[in-house]
Amino acid sequence: MASDGSLPSGPIPGVSYPIHVRYCGNCSMPIEYCEYYPEYEKCKMWLEKNLPAEFDKLLREGEEGAGGEGEEKKRQKRGGKGLLKAKKKNEGPRAIKLSRAPRGKKKSVTVIAGLHTFGIDLKEASKYFATKFSCGSSVTGEDEIVIQGDVKDELFDILPEKWPDIDEDLIEDLGDQKR
Ligand SMILES: [Zn+2]
């Protein structure tokens, strides 16, 4: 005596799961990832049928999604951080550190550290600076570029302009540093 069409699917009410990962019956991915699946429409249909509560949530979040400010709230609501972390590419704090170092008696160089924390290709960045400032620029360390010239002040404008991920607040001025 099997009761057709009532296969156990989704969470059982009242049971608290250690991790709130729910898998989609259509694409078998955690439902947070359905939207990246080419058959998202089918996923949505599956969700609507099998996990109506989650479906509602996804829809609502999708609508809010365009605005940047709702982002933090959503994270808190969801509770499970594991999945969201997977979407983030860079771990660790992202920050740019600018400093100036003397070169010879009159000249100075500008040292940029931290571009790599934004996932920026240092070689390309260095090339860009060389063109932008028409001066020498080279990658001098794992996450360090030295520009031949004092361009620190300009960089506060140029970095966020060229790489919108870099907020001006994330750029730290270390002042003059001996190398
Ligand atoms: Zn799916």
Side-chain angles (χ1 to χ4, degrees):
M1 269 226 280
S3 47
D4 281 334
S6 61
L7 289 167
S9 64
I12 300 147
V15 177
S16 65
Y17 290 79
I19 323 159
H20 294 277
V21 181
R22 310 225 162 106
Y23 293 93
C24 170
N26 181 55
C27 66
S28 79
M29 297 286 279
I31 56 173
E32 273 85 354
Y33 290 92
C34 282
E35 57 182 301
Y36 305 112
Y37 191 69
E39 289 181 33
Y40 186 36
E41 288 308 310
K42 278 190 188 170
C43 291
K44 280 203 275 194
M45 277 160 63
W46 183 92
L47 278 175
E48 191 175 15
K49 216 175 144 193
N50 296 279
L51 291 172
E54 297 299 321
F55 177 71
D56 278 359
K57 220 163 105 188
L58 278 187
L59 272 195
R60 251 180 290 131
E61 284 174 5
E63 279 158 21
E64 287 170 7
E69 250 192 35
E71 201 62 28
E72 267 319 299
K73 273 189 213 158
K74 251 186 277 168
R75 272 177 204 177
Q76 285 161 10
K77 247 194 284 170
R78 277 197 193 162
K81 278 182 183 163
L83 283 170
L84 286 157
K85 249 192 183 167
K87 279 185 190 173
K88 253 189 160 180
K89 267 187 186 167
N90 294 304
E91 298 286 341
R94 305 204 295 176
I96 303 282
K97 292 183 164 68
L98 300 180
S99 56
R100 192 167 51 190
R103 176 175 66 136
K105 275 181 184 166
K106 285 179 189 168
K107 289 175 179 173
S108 45
V109 299
T110 306
V111 183
I112 309 174
L115 286 170
H116 200 66
T117 64
F118 289 86
I120 293 164
D121 186 300
L122 290 190
K123 272 188 192 166
E124 271 174 39
S126 176
K127 239 188 244 172
Y128 171 75
F129 296 136
T131 314
K132 187 85 188 172
F133 301 118
S134 345
C135 65
S137 170
S138 48
V139 180
T140 50
E142 210 167 289
D143 193 356
E144 189 186 83
I145 289 176
V146 170
I147 301 171
Q148 303 298 317
D150 181 4
V151 294
K152 190 153 56 75
D153 294 339
E154 282 100 312
L155 284 171
F156 279 91
D157 296 323
I158 283 164
L159 291 178
E161 199 180 290
K162 168 80 176 163
W163 294 282
D165 273 359
I166 303 177
D167 192 276
E168 219 185 303
D169 295 339
L170 297 173
I171 307 174
E172 198 184 332
D173 188 346
L174 298 180
D176 293 313
Q177 302 261 318
K178 281 205 176 124
R179 287 171 62 76

PDB file of all heavy atoms in Angstrom, residues 24 27 34 43, ligand 1:
ATOM      1  N   CYS A  24      18.111  20.696  -4.437  1.00  0.00           N
ATOM      2  CA  CYS A  24      17.067  20.788  -5.442  1.00  0.00           C
ATOM      3  C   CYS A  24      16.879  19.426  -6.107  1.00  0.00           C
ATOM      4  O   CYS A  24      17.836  18.732  -6.429  1.00  0.00           O
ATOM      5  CB  CYS A  24      17.488  21.828  -6.472  1.00  0.00           C
ATOM      6  SG  CYS A  24      16.459  21.865  -7.912  1.00  0.00           S
ATOM      7  N   CYS A  27      18.088  19.859 -10.197  1.00  0.00           N
ATOM      8  CA  CYS A  27      19.490  19.927 -10.607  1.00  0.00           C
ATOM      9  C   CYS A  27      20.413  19.315  -9.562  1.00  0.00           C
ATOM     10  O   CYS A  27      21.611  19.257  -9.762  1.00  0.00           O
ATOM     11  CB  CYS A  27      19.895  21.373 -10.885  1.00  0.00           C
ATOM     12  SG  CYS A  27      19.866  22.402  -9.422  1.00  0.00           S
ATOM     13  N   CYS A  34      20.645  27.070  -7.578  1.00  0.00           N
ATOM     14  CA  CYS A  34      19.764  26.789  -8.711  1.00  0.00           C
ATOM     15  C   CYS A  34      19.822  27.893  -9.763  1.00  0.00           C
ATOM     16  O   CYS A  34      19.782  27.636 -10.951  1.00  0.00           O
ATOM     17  CB  CYS A  34      18.331  26.641  -8.230  1.00  0.00           C
ATOM     18  SG  CYS A  34      18.022  25.034  -7.479  1.00  0.00           S
ATOM     19  N   CYS A  43      13.904  24.231 -12.090  1.00  0.00           N
ATOM     20  CA  CYS A  43      14.217  24.177 -10.668  1.00  0.00           C
ATOM     21  C   CYS A  43      13.118  24.882  -9.886  1.00  0.00           C
ATOM     22  O   CYS A  43      12.670  24.401  -8.856  1.00  0.00           O
ATOM     23  CB  CYS A  43      15.550  24.859 -10.379  1.00  0.00           C
ATOM     24  SG  CYS A  43      16.979  23.982 -11.030  1.00  0.00           S
TER      25      CYS A  43
HETATM   26 ZN    ZN B   1      17.826  23.336  -9.091  1.00  0.00          ZN
END
